[in-house]
Amino acid sequence: MNKVGQCVIPLNTLPRKHLEPVIDKISSKDVINGHVTVDISSQKQVTESQVLTFVLNHNQANNPTSITIENPNNDSVAFDIRSGIDHLELDVSDTSADNNKFDLIHTNIDEITLQLGEKTHASLIDFTGEITLQSKTKGATVNINKVEPIGVGMALNLKNHVVIDEINFNGTQHIEVRPSKNTSLTVKDIKVMQKAAGSINYAVVTGIISLGLESSLDVHAYVDLSHSEIDIPYNQSYTQSITGTAPIHGSFRHVPKKIVMTGRYVNQYLASEKILIAQSTQKFGCEEWKNRIENHVSGLRIEAFTCTDQELDSSGNPVFRLYAESSGYSDGKKKKKGAPIVLIAVIAVVAVVVVAVVVIVVVCIIRRKKNAVP
């Protein structure tokens, strides 16, 4: 039930779409002093819906600790890192932009250090546990294509400046970023999938924060939103629940560059509603936030954006909130206001004229009768 007493259809989290793994192995005879060069073109062939996956086990004979990837055909490739491996070095032989991507899978909670080449563009898929990111080249930036945490999330220890193209939350997950001296984390885009609840404590976000229906993102005070655009979805069929939280909440120190309200589809809207956009545990520049909002929901009338500072959350703690006040959807037709009043006025005037005419006729008849009397 939502906050206006309407029953709504419950939403579910959406499973991530992954390629079908085709399992292969690295031959122990190819590993020399812990290093191996893997030529993807000489391995099992995969289709566009498949990913060639190498399983790395700690207990296998002559397990590699350093891998150079040769991928001339730009095939999909992944390395499934199993329990017991605490350090792995990866690089690519071809430094072109098309052939430097690969997936790393780490579903166990062990600690691991990933030392990545300057031209690599790895994705951390189904990651959990504690991960240390480090570049093979001193002072170089570590470039990560995508991060998809699982379980309760993951911890990232930074040894270099790290740039992540996309973080994808799909559940109740937290990313604990632990920067060291002279390091930082830049995240271009953050996606919080339908009904997911993501959380991050440290980053500079430079792209779009996209939120699905009934999803939320908890940003801590050291998340810089000043370069970001926040995309908040709206769908009248799935309005916010009574105990629901704001799509973006936490402790705000920065004003985002833009806030966009995006509609999925438009139906007839009847009741007025307050749409909760942001919620902070401390005072924030709410008036500035209001000036960054753009309504892209077709037909949705926003009457005002309001800031409140005397509300409590579901736990009874004081919070500061930003609302959009909507009066519903417009059908695009202009109604003729005042028509009934005009009609009544015309009828009244006609009635007065008729009465006046009748009175005059009666008076004339009476006068004629008097004149006719001898």
Side-chain angles (χ1 to χ4, degrees):
M1 183 174 289
N2 62 21
K3 56 187 172 60
V4 293
Q6 300 168 331
C7 292
V8 295
I9 300 173
L11 295 176
N12 298 315
T13 55
L14 302 175
R16 293 189 178 113
K17 294 182 179 181
H18 288 160
L19 299 177
E20 176 192 355
V22 175
I23 305 300
D24 206 340
K25 63 180 181 179
I26 296 174
S27 175
S28 59
K29 64 181 180 62
D30 295 331
V31 180
I32 302 174
N33 296 325
H35 178 266
V36 64
T37 297
V38 180
D39 183 0
I40 305 302
S41 62
S42 65
Q43 308 295 322
K44 293 180 179 179
Q45 299 300 303
V46 293
T47 65
E48 291 184 356
S49 63
Q50 297 174 322
V51 55
L52 184 63
T53 304
F54 296 92
V55 177
L56 304 178
N57 288 306
H58 174 66
N59 56 2
Q60 72 185 41
N62 205 16
N63 191 66
T65 57
S66 175
I67 300 173
T68 299
I69 304 166
E70 291 183 353
N71 191 9
N73 299 324
N74 195 24
D75 292 320
S76 297
V77 59
F79 296 90
D80 188 348
I81 307 167
R82 300 295 173 89
S83 181
I85 298 177
D86 59 5
H87 184 275
L88 189 62
E89 182 181 300
L90 297 113
D91 209 341
V92 291
S93 60
D94 187 348
T95 58
S96 65
D98 293 334
N99 299 334
N100 60 359
K101 295 181 179 180
F102 53 90
D103 294 346
L104 298 175
I105 303 168
H106 188 260
T107 58
N108 59 80
I109 61 173
D110 295 347
E111 296 181 17
I112 185 171
T113 296
L114 297 175
Q115 199 168 7
L116 301 173
E118 189 175 356
K119 300 297 182 179
T120 62
H121 220 73
S123 291
L124 310 184
I125 304 298
D126 289 349
F127 249 70
T128 188
E130 184 173 336
I131 298 93
T132 298
L133 292 177
Q134 186 175 1
S135 175
K136 286 180 60 181
T137 305
K138 185 177 179 180
T141 297
V142 175
N143 292 293
I144 301 295
N145 183 40
K146 183 184 290 187
V147 174
E148 295 184 349
I150 60 170
V152 297
M154 58 194 290
L156 287 178
N157 299 320
L158 308 183
K159 298 299 182 182
N160 293 78
H161 177 60
V162 176
V163 176
I164 299 175
D165 288 346
E166 179 188 315
I167 293 178
N168 186 298
F169 291 104
N170 191 31
T172 303
Q173 295 148 349
H174 173 65
I175 295 182
E176 179 72 22
V177 182
R178 300 168 183 169
S180 55
K181 187 177 180 180
N182 297 325
T183 66
S184 61
L185 173 63
T186 298
V187 179
K188 294 181 180 178
D189 296 328
I190 297 178
K191 293 182 179 180
V192 189
M193 305 300 287
Q194 178 177 289
K195 209 175 173 61
S199 175
I200 187 168
N201 69 308
Y202 175 91
V204 176
V205 185
T206 61
I208 300 175
I209 300 175
S210 301
L211 295 138
L213 292 171
E214 292 191 14
S215 70
S216 65
L217 179 65
D218 182 3
V219 294
H220 295 202
Y222 291 100
V223 176
D224 186 348
L225 300 174
S226 60
H227 307 285
S228 70
E229 175 181 320
I230 302 175
D231 186 350
I232 295 178
Y234 183 81
N235 185 311
Q236 63 179 9
S237 299
Y238 300 98
T239 52
Q240 293 164 335
S241 65
I242 297 171
T243 58
T245 186
I248 186 160
H249 60 99
S251 182
F252 306 135
R253 291 188 175 182
H254 306 88
V255 179
K257 183 171 64 176
K258 184 190 295 186
I259 303 171
V260 176
M261 297 178 64
T262 304
R264 296 295 182 257
Y265 55 85
V266 177
N267 293 317
Q268 184 62 37
Y269 188 85
L270 299 177
S272 62
E273 185 175 7
K274 289 177 70 176
I275 305 164
L276 181 58
I277 294 177
Q279 174 177 303
S280 176
T281 56
Q282 64 181 20
K283 285 188 177 181
F284 65 105
C286 187
E287 294 298 327
E288 293 185 67
W289 280 60
K290 286 164 56 175
N291 296 330
R292 308 299 171 90
I293 301 175
E294 296 180 5
N295 176 22
H296 291 187
V297 184
S298 178
L300 179 65
R301 294 192 297 266
I302 299 295
E303 304 299 332
F305 298 101
T306 58
C307 302
T308 64
D309 59 2
Q310 296 181 342
E311 296 191 46
L312 303 177
D313 64 13
S314 57
S315 301
N317 300 312
V319 290
F320 302 84
R321 287 173 171 163
L322 168 59
Y323 288 98
E325 294 186 2
S326 167
S327 61
Y329 277 83
S330 171
D331 59 8
K333 297 178 181 179
K334 294 183 178 178
K335 297 181 180 179
K336 296 181 179 179
K337 296 182 179 180
I341 298 174
V342 173
L343 179 60
I344 292 170
V346 171
I347 293 172
V349 170
V350 171
V352 170
V353 171
V354 171
V355 171
V357 171
V358 171
V359 170
I360 293 171
V361 171
V362 171
V363 170
C364 290
I365 292 173
I366 292 172
R367 286 181 177 177
R368 286 180 181 179
K369 285 183 178 181
K370 285 182 179 180
N371 294 331
V373 176

